[in-house]
Amino acid sequence: MKHESFHESAEMYLKTASELAGENTPTPIAALAGRLGVSAVSATEMVHRLQEQGLLAHQPYRGISLTAAGQQLADEVVRRHRLWECFLYERLGLPWHEVHDHACRLEHATTPAVTEALDAFLGHPAACPHGNPIDGQAGEPAERLLSELPVGGTAVLVRVHPESEGLLCYLAELDLLPGRRITLREIAPYQGPMVLQTDVGVRYIGREAAAHVHIRLLTEEPA
Amino acid sequence: MKHESFHESAEMYLKTASELAGENTPTPIAALAGRLGVSAVSATEMVHRLQEQGLLAHQPYRGISLTAAGQQLADEVVRRHRLWECFLYERLGLPWHEVHDHACRLEHATTPAVTEALDAFLGHPAACPHGNPIDGQAGEPAERLLSELPVGGTAVLVRVHPESEGLLCYLAELDLLPGRRITLREIAPYQGPMVLQTDVGVRYIGREAAAHVHIRLLTEEPA
DNA sequence: CACTAATATAAGGTTGGCCCAAAAACCGGG
DNA sequence: CCCGGTTTTTGGGCCAACCTTATATTAGTG
């Protein structure tokens, strides 16, 4: 229903492809389509167009993967996005869970000159307010997911990825922000919620949400 | 050639209509089309669409004028534009003549929350770097155009409007920025350039460019 | 090895933004 | 008051991004 320009649309496809590439490669087109809220047919069309431009490679019935050029473009979009998040959160004082959506709109309207000037203005920040690195998605080496934290283990919340307004809002309500120290007390049976002990109280979180929360493990066992 | 989303396109039409409304009302569609770099046919179509949405009124063979709703929308776009210009110039340190174009892209991707937060962050500035007021285009009452300054008269440069990258670049080279004190020495014959005495030296400027430079008259005659 | 679920393609539609060329309406000067 | 030039409108098309509804193809599994 909403029509985006090629520029914008292409950037969204590449950004999303880059996000999903971390999980499984090559990424099935259906996953792309789902994330973008678009039919599989539309996604296939766009993938072909992007392939013709040498931005991604499509192996039929396998999925897609970004070419070097496509990855670079995606990285640039992500960088702009995160720089805007920093600005909106740190300087404008907008809520932690809202800056993602605002940045999603600004990222496509940002020229290189503005990007560089913004980066300098912010003092070349290393990460966005949700903990994601601004240059490359190298990430910490020993990073794990909260959903894989063993019972009794203690960890520090490093980053939330991939982000979405709803998820961030949920985490903000639970005070689960980057830097928060977390110990997993137990996991309720039948895929129930995880019971977390944090420095600001006990919190319950579903497995699915926890799969978006990246942590650095401190100890596997209770002290 | 380039395709903009409805949102963006509509905002550009309204913004431009608002700019041109100052000169002659109702504004001929051809003027709109020319300014937007679009054929008269395309402009007519868009005007119809905007009319259906109650944003502007079209009197056939007369021209268009903004409705209250349309004027309000246009004012909002202009406000966002000028706030971004302030930010880009004052905070990011981008060149005076470049911020217009960057702001043109950002203005359509800016949500109300961001607009208000940005306004507060900038300390509710009264005018953009080119001197145009941010709230409403009330303007100073006794404002005139540089092109109408009588020979021997002295004035202060108040604002540049309407803006365009080329024009701003030209003025920046001449050091003709808001606040600059100008005395018109003479006008070369045959529609020749105006010879200006400024506090930073003598400058020559064409009549057409001067028609975009708004001034506040200090004295009609030399002291 | 055949079958099913995932994936791809084909066909046909919609909408929005743009274009050109040609017809129609208007306006001002003779 | 009519004629010519400008403006607007109409008709006819193009393209990109989306959609749905089939129909093929294929990969992995029983």
Side-chain angles (χ1 to χ4, degrees):
Chain A
M1 197 94 298
K2 75 174 127 186
H3 290 261
E4 291 170 347
S5 60
F6 171 72
H7 181 73
E8 202 167 321
S9 222
E11 285 190 350
M12 284 306 288
Y13 273 86
L14 293 175
K15 191 178 85 158
T16 307
S18 175
E19 270 180 6
L20 295 176
E23 295 168 19
N24 38 336
T25 325
T27 312
I29 289 185
L32 243 195
R35 181 68 73 89
L36 288 165
V38 143
S39 77
V41 177
S42 302
T44 303
E45 277 180 1
M46 192 67 193
V47 161
H48 287 330
R49 249 171 272 148
L50 292 172
Q51 189 179 228
E52 277 164 22
Q53 314 216 344
L55 297 172
L56 46 76
H58 178 219
Q59 306 161 257
Y61 297 96
R62 289 282 147 140
I64 58 163
S65 45
L66 288 161
T67 64
Q71 184 67 56
Q72 196 192 328
L73 253 177
D75 287 348
E76 277 166 26
V77 177
V78 168
R79 175 158 174 253
R80 294 198 293 261
H81 177 95
R82 294 187 180 153
L83 286 171
W84 279 123
E85 284 188 333
C86 285
F87 173 70
L88 296 173
Y89 180 66
E90 291 169 16
R91 307 298 168 121
L92 296 197
L94 293 173
W96 185 77
H97 59 272
E98 282 182 15
V99 297
H100 176 73
D101 279 13
H102 295 302
C104 262
R105 314 197 63 204
L106 290 170
E107 69 190 6
H108 307 294
T110 310
T111 48
V114 173
T115 307
E116 298 315 318
L118 182 63
D119 190 28
F121 173 73
L122 294 169
H124 306 288
C128 83
H130 313 114
N132 296 298
I134 284 176
D135 294 309
Q137 41 267 55
E140 301 190 29
E143 207 177 273
R144 298 208 208 166
L145 293 175
L146 176 57
S147 53
E148 292 160 6
L149 180 62
V151 172
T154 297
V156 170
L157 202 164
V158 173
R159 50 190 274 251
V160 181
H161 184 87
E163 304 145 81
S164 70
E165 162 98 45
L167 173 67
L168 293 170
C169 196
Y170 174 50
L171 293 174
E173 269 177 30
L174 296 174
D175 281 309
L176 292 176
L177 308 187
R180 179 74 65 228
R181 192 193 192 86
I182 295 167
T183 300
L184 178 56
R185 290 271 271 274
E186 57 171 310
I187 301 179
Y190 300 106
Q191 300 296 328
M194 303 171 78
V195 182
L196 309 175
Q197 175 72 52
T198 77
D199 33 0
V200 290
V202 175
R203 296 289 187 271
Y204 303 84
I205 188 174
R207 302 296 292 261
E208 204 168 316
H212 294 251
V213 176
H214 299 243
I215 57 174
R216 179 165 26 98
L217 201 59
L218 295 179
T219 63
E220 299 254 359
E221 293 301 321
Chain B
M1 199 94 299
K2 74 175 126 182
H3 290 261
E4 291 171 347
S5 63
F6 171 71
H7 180 73
E8 200 168 321
S9 221
E11 285 189 350
M12 284 307 287
Y13 273 86
L14 292 176
K15 192 178 84 158
T16 307
S18 175
E19 270 180 7
L20 294 177
E23 296 167 19
N24 38 335
T25 325
T27 313
I29 290 185
L32 244 196
R35 182 67 73 90
L36 289 164
V38 144
S39 78
V41 177
S42 304
T44 303
E45 279 179 357
M46 194 67 194
V47 161
H48 286 330
R49 252 172 267 148
L50 292 172
Q51 189 177 228
E52 276 165 22
Q53 315 216 343
L55 297 173
L56 46 78
H58 178 217
Q59 303 161 259
Y61 298 96
R62 294 276 146 151
I64 58 163
S65 45
L66 288 162
T67 64
Q71 185 66 58
Q72 196 192 328
L73 252 177
D75 287 348
E76 278 166 25
V77 177
V78 168
R79 175 159 174 253
R80 294 199 292 262
H81 177 94
R82 293 186 180 155
L83 286 171
W84 279 122
E85 284 188 334
C86 285
F87 173 71
L88 296 173
Y89 181 66
E90 291 169 16
R91 309 298 169 119
L92 295 197
L94 292 174
W96 185 77
H97 55 97
E98 282 182 14
V99 298
H100 175 73
D101 280 12
H102 296 302
C104 261
R105 315 196 63 204
L106 290 171
E107 69 190 5
H108 308 294
T110 310
T111 49
V114 172
T115 307
E116 299 315 319
L118 183 62
D119 190 29
F121 174 73
L122 294 170
H124 305 288
C128 83
H130 313 114
N132 296 298
I134 283 176
D135 294 309
Q137 41 267 57
E140 301 191 28
E143 205 177 275
R144 298 209 207 165
L145 293 176
L146 175 58
S147 51
E148 293 160 5
L149 179 63
V151 172
T154 297
V156 170
L157 201 165
V158 173
R159 50 190 275 252
V160 180
H161 184 87
E163 305 144 81
S164 71
E165 162 98 45
L167 173 66
L168 294 170
C169 196
Y170 175 49
L171 293 174
E173 268 177 32
L174 296 174
D175 281 308
L176 292 176
L177 308 186
R180 179 73 66 229
R181 191 194 194 83
I182 295 168
T183 300
L184 178 56
R185 289 271 273 272
E186 57 171 310
I187 300 178
Y190 299 107
Q191 300 295 327
M194 303 171 78
V195 182
L196 310 175
Q197 175 71 53
T198 78
D199 33 1
V200 290
V202 175
R203 296 288 186 271
Y204 302 85
I205 186 173
R207 302 296 291 262
E208 203 168 317
H212 295 252
V213 176
H214 299 242
I215 57 174
R216 178 164 29 92
L217 202 58
L218 295 180
T219 61
E220 298 255 359
E221 293 301 321

